[in-house]
Amino acid sequence: MYKNVGSKALRSGIPAMSVESFDPSRDTIVLEGAVLAELLRAAGRLDEPMFGLDRLAVARLAPAVRQGRADWEAAARGLDNAGIEALIRLFTLGEKLPGWESGANSPVVPLAVELKARNAYPKDLTRWIRSNSDNRYLPHGNLLDRL
């Protein structure tokens, strides 16, 4: 049985419980400037624990992994080939970080497409991705999405 403890909880110093509404805009991030720079810095530290990021940075950057394909396509156009490849490696290994799991919606997919469009996709990159990830969709995405 539920008991109304709202005013009693406030008088006792215990914070009252509240229900927050879901705001999908809180789970987005703009893929430009400082965000891309921080991701590229992390991509340069693949051998460090959590890529040199602290827990707060991992959580703050997690929405970047869930950004839409169009957002990553636009971001990739502003990056050089080495930057795109570095981000592919970061997001491949990053699937092991909390909140960075992405399945078929991984940023690796549109980033790989951009490198292929530039004829700059390294021959050994697919082998590296597959040997460093359990995500069966990398680097090509979901076959049904390509049909």
Side-chain angles (χ1 to χ4, degrees), residues 85 89 115 119-129:
E85 183 179 345
R89 293 178 187 274
L115 273 186
N119 291 320
Y121 191 86
K123 291 181 181 182
D124 64 335
L125 187 55
T126 298
R127 187 174 330 118
W128 182 89
I129 291 168

Side-chain angles (χ1 to χ4, degrees), residues 87-95 108 128-129 132-133 138:
L87 289 178
I88 288 172
R89 293 178 187 274
L90 173 70
F91 291 126
T92 297
L93 296 174
E95 293 239 340
V108 169
W128 182 89
I129 291 168
N132 286 282
S133 176
L138 299 185

Side-chain angles (χ1 to χ4, degrees), residues 100-117:
W100 284 43
E101 310 85 8
S102 56
N105 298 318
S106 173
V108 169
V109 177
L111 293 170
V113 167
E114 179 64 24
L115 273 186
K116 288 176 185 177

Side-chain angles (χ1 to χ4, degrees), residues 35-105:
V35 170
L36 287 176
E38 189 169 12
L39 289 167
L40 288 167
R41 277 192 303 277
R45 299 185 210 139
L46 297 180
D47 293 331
E48 293 181 29
M50 295 191 329
F51 317 119
L53 300 169
D54 60 27
R55 288 183 183 181
L56 291 175
V58 168
R60 184 174 31 77
L61 293 170
V65 178
R66 292 182 293 281
Q67 287 299 104
R69 183 182 188 112
D71 293 329
W72 274 109
E73 288 169 350
R77 285 191 291 271
L79 297 172
D80 63 12
N81 297 344
I84 294 172
E85 183 179 345
L87 289 178
I88 288 172
R89 293 178 187 274
L90 173 70
F91 291 126
T92 297
L93 296 174
E95 293 239 340
K96 296 174 180 128
L97 294 176
W100 284 43
E101 310 85 8
S102 56
N105 298 318

Side-chain angles (χ1 to χ4, degrees), residues 20-28:
E20 293 184 20
S21 62
F22 173 69
D23 180 3
S25 66
R26 283 192 341 197
D27 199 28
T28 61

